[in-house]
Amino acid sequence: MAADPGKFDHIIIGSGINGLVAASLLALKGARVLVLEREDRIGGCLYTDEITLPGFRHDVMAATFVLFMTSPAGAALGPHLAKHGFEYCHSPHPTAVLRPDGQALVLTMDQTLNVSKFNALAAGDGDQHARDVGQIAADAPFLFALLGGNLWSWATAKLLWGQVRKRGLRGLAAWMGSALAPARGWLEANYQSPLVQALWAPWVLHCGLTPESAYSAQMGKVIAFALEAAGAPIAKGGAGQAAAAFRGLIEAQGGVIRTGADVAKITTRDGRVTGVRLASGEAIASKSVLASVAPSQLYGRLLDVNLPEDHAAVRQFRHGRGNFQLHYALDRVPEWLTPGLADVALIHLSDGVDSVSKSANEAERGMLPAVPTICVGQPSRLDPSRCPDGKAILWLQIPDAPRVIKGDAGGEIAAQDWDIAREAFADRIEAILASHIKDFDQIKLACRAYSPADLERMNCNLVGGDPYGGACSLDQFFIWRPFAHSTNGAGPVRGLIHIGASTHPGPGLGGGSGFNAAKRLGA
């Protein structure tokens, strides 16, 4: 469908989760919406393809939907998306850790069973787990409003005032201070079992943090709460099917989605948005533009406006570690040498807090980790439609790869160009994986690796392969994301809202910034 100038109330640049959430909510309220995507497919990191062999459908980037399922966006849009083919697939065993010596610990969605397991490993560890997730549940209305809501708003001010009345000013300050604790301190002070510590330590990497980062303990507890309560669901048919469901919803409400539509400029007049101009030269008018892009894209390419404070902030903005993806087509379901892992959704291959800290630190210094932290997804166990009968696929994510290679902490890989180093690093990962699976070489049919450089080529917003829209350190998070002077994605250009992983509430498939922006626009 062609887009007529002046036809649209809102133009959304980028069709990642936040753009799709915003477009869906606005379209459901009757707004005339246009989504512009520069690639030949929609979805951003929601991408499923037969990248190894025909019939084996892999989620090339994002895979797990617990954040969306438990988010306000998921609650509002879930029933509508279900009508367009979006369905979750679950496992009662959302995650596990597998140590190099073969010891493993599996988390279930049964808290009583988890408490019993943890207490059996070390007296009191299970009781501590119940306290940790119980505290998250008790604080949920306040905590999740801070993690996901519009921070610069009267609603947040009223929320904070309510907490002052409840806890006292000093009590609220104490709560916030404890919320800034690092995961290492939380795990080592409260859990005696190395296995329990190892279960949670890798998860902070999925928040763009490390075990030493401020507020990583709080995020670890939030993840523990979410996984136990909601599991680690995936989309039936793949993440790409979720994107297709969004498309069906938006178009059913009269919205328009255009692929291969590269926005060259956001046009303005007298400090207000007037629309966009495509690389083809086509101009499309609208007084509202939502840009789901990295800060460097927005201020370095799309906006020709004199914004000295923002341009200075872009130069200081830091991206986080890169991401490495490895995908396997297998001749049969993998047989783990350690029993009990067959139906686990996500397994971390990690030795514990120190190993996670070491690999993340190596990656942040530009080194290929000698022993990377590996997350292994088993999507075909949750969703058999992903591959032919009797076969299997594995989804591997390495969340601690360097954006730019300066060296190899293992002393084996000389290449400092990802296009040359990719396969050698994949071999290192595969050797670790194969040591835990019976006859892996015999069941391996094909594999495909994606380096941080590959991911950026696929999506220009994944700068250096950073999937989190920028480093998630405290100075670039909450009210300071993406910049210290940022306010809910709005700036001096009226009618323009910056959304996406680089804006509050940050990365993941929760769709929070798209949800918040749509609500401010009347959805």
Side-chain angles (χ1 to χ4, degrees):
M1 183 185 296
D4 297 328
K7 179 179 179 181
F8 299 102
D9 298 312
H10 307 284
I11 295 174
I12 293 96
I13 303 172
S15 65
I17 185 68
N18 286 287
L20 293 174
V21 164
S24 298
L25 289 167
L26 291 166
L28 282 166
K29 286 295 185 180
R32 300 166 299 173
V33 171
L34 171 64
V35 179
L36 298 172
E37 170 57 55
R38 67 182 299 180
E39 302 298 334
D40 61 0
R41 58 171 182 83
I42 67 165
C45 291
L46 303 177
Y47 178 28
T48 305
D49 200 3
E50 296 179 342
I51 57 174
T52 55
L53 294 171
F56 291 81
R57 297 186 56 76
H58 303 265
D59 286 339
V60 178
M61 289 180 271
T64 304
F65 280 80
V66 62
L67 289 180
F68 184 73
M69 189 176 76
T70 57
S71 72
L77 294 174
H80 300 284
L81 291 169
K83 297 175 183 177
H84 295 277
F86 186 12
E87 182 179 344
Y88 295 114
C89 297
H90 296 268
S91 167
H93 309 111
T95 193
V97 66
L98 177 58
R99 301 180 74 190
D101 62 4
Q103 290 187 81
L105 177 60
V106 177
L107 183 82
T108 77
M109 294 178 68
D110 181 338
Q111 186 178 104
T112 301
L113 181 56
N114 292 331
V115 168
S116 177
K117 276 187 182 182
F118 292 7
N119 277 336
L121 290 169
D125 276 13
D127 300 321
Q128 181 64 44
H129 168 74
R131 284 193 293 271
D132 282 339
V133 296
Q135 189 59 55
I136 295 297
D139 288 338
F142 174 50
L143 176 60
F144 291 120
L146 287 182
L147 290 176
N150 282 323
L151 295 181
W152 294 100
S153 67
W154 284 112
T156 298
K158 289 169 62 178
L159 184 75
L160 289 169
W161 174 242
Q163 291 296 309
V164 169
R165 296 180 64 185
K166 176 182 177 181
R167 304 172 190 263
L169 186 60
R170 192 67 192 89
L172 179 59
W175 182 91
M176 290 186 168
S178 65
L180 296 177
R184 178 182 288 277
W186 162 53
L187 292 171
E188 292 183 343
N190 293 284
Y191 293 97
Q192 305 309 306
S193 168
L195 261 177
V196 177
Q197 294 178 10
L199 177 68
W200 299 123
W203 276 102
V204 303
L205 301 182
H206 299 280
C207 302
L209 303 172
T210 75
E212 285 72 41
S213 298
Y215 78 91
S216 58
Q218 189 78 337
M219 296 310 298
K221 295 174 189 177
V222 167
I223 288 169
F225 168 78
L227 290 172
E228 189 175 74
I234 61 175
K236 186 173 184 179
Q241 178 58 35
F246 273 106
R247 179 169 206 147
L249 168 57
I250 293 165
E251 292 181 341
Q253 298 300 315
V256 178
I257 297 177
R258 292 176 58 178
T259 56
D262 185 10
V263 177
K265 293 296 175 186
I266 298 170
T267 57
T268 63
R269 183 184 298 116
D270 298 327
R272 170 170 280 284
V273 160
T274 59
V276 302
R277 186 174 70 252
L278 303 186
S280 65
E282 178 184 0
I284 308 172
S286 178
K287 294 181 179 180
S288 172
V289 172
L290 288 74
S292 185
V293 298
S296 57
Q297 290 289 320
L298 181 58
Y299 298 101
R301 186 172 72 91
L302 296 177
L303 272 179
D304 275 341
V305 180
N306 184 24
L307 300 170
E309 188 175 22
D310 292 297
H311 289 136
V314 168
R315 291 192 292 272
Q316 301 298 318
F317 187 76
R318 306 184 316 283
H319 279 276
R321 297 179 298 278
N323 202 260
F324 192 97
Q325 297 272 346
L326 190 54
H327 303 272
Y328 286 95
L330 303 180
D331 194 41
R332 64 174 185 268
V333 174
E335 183 180 344
W336 295 90
L337 297 178
T338 299
L341 300 174
D343 296 319
V344 177
L346 296 168
I347 304 167
H348 283 110
L349 309 184
S350 172
D351 201 23
V353 180
D354 288 343
S355 69
V356 172
S357 180
K358 180 176 182 292
S359 62
N361 178 266
E362 289 168 349
E364 290 187 342
R365 290 186 290 111
M367 307 296 285
L368 294 168
V371 182
T373 302
I374 303 170
C375 181
V376 182
Q378 303 188 96
S380 53
R381 295 295 285 175
L382 282 66
D383 176 14
S385 74
R386 300 288 186 93
C387 59
D389 289 345
K391 311 301 181 182
I393 62 173
L394 292 179
W395 172 94
L396 272 65
Q397 181 188 59
I398 293 76
D400 49 15
R403 294 194 312 279
V404 177
I405 303 172
K406 297 179 182 178
D408 177 22
E412 300 169 343
I413 302 173
Q416 295 188 13
D417 183 302
W418 265 119
D419 290 342
I420 302 172
R422 177 181 57 236
E423 300 308 320
F425 190 56
D427 289 343
R428 176 175 294 174
I429 296 161
E430 182 174 308
I432 297 171
L433 175 70
S435 70
H436 293 290
I437 295 175
K438 182 180 179 180
D439 299 328
F440 185 79
D441 289 344
Q442 297 177 32
I443 67 171
K444 172 186 167 184
L445 296 175
C447 69
R448 178 75 177 272
Y450 292 88
S451 73
D454 294 324
L455 297 178
E456 182 174 5
R457 281 191 285 263
M458 294 167 65
N459 186 331
C460 64
N461 294 307
L462 304 181
V463 179
D466 168 17
Y468 302 114
C472 297
S473 53
L474 187 57
D475 64 304
Q476 290 192 167
F477 221 67
F478 301 108
I479 60 173
W480 307 288
R481 191 164 185 88
F483 309 139
H485 62 274
S486 296
T487 306
N488 294 337
V493 179
R494 298 188 300 279
L496 173 64
I497 301 180
H498 189 192
I499 62 173
S502 299
T503 67
H504 178 76
L509 295 184
S513 63
F515 179 87
N516 290 340
K519 289 299 181 183
R520 293 204 306 275
L521 293 170

